Amino acid sequence: MSKAIYDYSHQQIELAFEQKNGLYIEKETDYIFTKVLALLSTLHSDKLIGIKISHDEVAYKPEYLFSPKHKSNLFKWLKRLYATRFPASDLDFGKLKVDFETWYYDLGGTSIEFVYHDSYLLKPMDAAAALGISKVTLNKYIKLGLECLDNGSQHKIPKHAVELMKDPVYSIRMQMNYQKKKMLEQTPEERLLEITREIAELQLKYGKKTYQEAFRVHESQLDDPVDFYRWKDLAEELDEILKVAGGASGN
């Protein structure tokens, strides 16, 4: 991207937000999003075969479109396009991928899939070894949101996902994107059944009804806090679904 195009786009974004002009904000958003998508695929072709996005046009959320957060994101991505700062390390690529995925869902997107070269994917045993954990713990991480591809016969894990699990901030962001995707793909009824089943498995494992009863020590003292966080998140999500269902039924 030339300096002239960068300056022009920057000015247009400033003007669009100043005038609260939704049409121009959408125009600049479409332009920057498309450019980032193309560069991600091109500059990381050693890792990516491509990126699949729902053919349905993204219905931008008005509350997000006009928000300071979106304006900041537009400037951030515009700056990256101008500098072409798309690092090639697995960790930095993973962070970039998570940031882009998060932005896509914030905008109102519903389905995005990254397709990787097989050489960029790890078998579960190799991923577990790289993380220094057992395959049992790896499966817990997958349930929490460690990026994992299921080809029908075996799970495969992108190399960057292993690196992201070592980063406290981005491991959480990766998990949050996983939860967003599941919420979009599942009906409330399907999600309720899945949560109920997972909580039942934890109740059987620990012989307790709640995570508070099962984990009475402080989080930092737990040998394996994965179950604690998973159970806590499931319980909170279950409460939220039941609240929404109760409100919808008029109770």
Side-chain angles (χ1 to χ4, degrees):
M1 176 182 287
S2 69
K3 181 69 163 57
I5 293 176
Y6 171 82
D7 288 340
Y8 176 77
S9 295
H10 199 285
Q11 291 169 5
Q12 290 300 302
I13 293 169
E14 282 283 13
L15 185 62
F17 275 90
E18 182 181 322
Q19 297 178 347
K20 294 183 170 56
N21 190 320
L23 183 62
Y24 281 112
I25 294 175
E26 287 192 27
K27 178 176 174 291
E28 291 302 318
T29 300
D30 287 341
Y31 171 72
I32 293 174
F33 184 88
T34 303
K35 292 286 288 184
V36 174
L37 182 65
L39 275 177
L40 265 173
S41 300
T42 303
L43 296 181
H44 295 288
S45 58
D46 59 324
K47 303 174 179 65
L48 286 168
I49 294 175
I51 304 172
K52 297 179 181 179
I53 292 180
S54 171
H55 292 302
D56 298 330
E57 188 174 333
V58 176
Y60 294 134
K61 302 174 183 176
E63 66 275 13
Y64 177 76
L65 196 66
F66 292 94
S67 69
K69 181 181 178 183
H70 180 47
K71 181 181 178 182
S72 175
N73 273 332
L74 286 174
F75 285 142
K76 179 187 73 174
W77 289 110
L78 182 65
K79 187 175 181 180
R80 281 178 166 175
L81 287 170
Y82 173 62
T84 321
R85 290 176 182 168
F86 285 70
S89 76
D90 292 338
L91 176 59
D92 287 336
F93 166 71
K95 290 180 177 180
L96 188 67
K97 183 257 181 188
V98 167
D99 286 343
F100 182 70
E101 199 173 28
T102 301
W103 187 38
Y104 172 77
Y105 286 128
D106 284 346
L107 284 169
T110 58
S111 177
I112 182 168
E113 178 186 357
F114 290 76
V115 184
Y116 306 100
H117 291 290
D118 194 60
S119 59
Y120 188 65
L121 301 174
L122 297 171
K123 294 180 179 178
M125 62 181 296
D126 295 326
L131 286 167
I133 59 176
S134 67
K135 284 189 67 176
V136 173
T137 301
L138 181 72
N139 287 332
K140 292 179 184 178
Y141 286 169
I142 291 173
K143 286 185 177 181
L144 283 170
L146 169 67
E147 187 178 356
C148 179
L149 284 72
D150 186 354
N151 62 10
S153 59
Q154 187 181 44
H155 289 142
K156 291 288 185 71
I157 296 158
K159 292 178 181 178
H160 67 260
V162 170
E163 298 303 317
L164 289 177
M165 286 304 294
K166 302 173 185 177
D167 184 294
V169 173
Y170 274 88
S171 64
I172 291 173
R173 290 182 182 177
M174 176 170 56
Q175 292 166 31
M176 289 174 66
N177 285 341
Y178 170 78
Q179 296 302 330
K180 287 178 186 176
K181 184 176 181 180
K182 290 194 75 171
M183 288 173 66
L184 289 167
E185 292 177 345
Q186 292 180 314
T187 65
E189 292 78 12
E190 289 171 338
R191 186 64 186 140
L192 184 61
L193 286 172
E194 184 175 355
I195 291 173
T196 303
R197 184 182 69 250
E198 289 192 43
I199 288 179
E201 290 174 357
L202 290 165
Q203 288 172 332
L204 287 171
K205 178 177 179 180
Y206 291 95
K208 302 291 182 180
K209 288 185 177 182
T210 67
Y211 71 89
Q212 292 96 333
E213 292 175 344
F215 302 97
R216 293 190 179 279
V217 297
H218 191 271
E219 299 164 32
S220 62
Q221 298 173 302
L222 297 172
D223 293 330
D224 184 5
V226 175
D227 281 349
F228 169 81
Y229 288 115
R230 182 59 182 155
W231 197 343
K232 181 175 181 289
D233 289 344
L234 287 168
E236 290 174 354
E237 189 178 351
L238 177 60
D239 286 342
E240 187 62 30
I241 290 175
L242 292 175
K243 285 179 184 176
V244 172
S249 64
N251 295 329

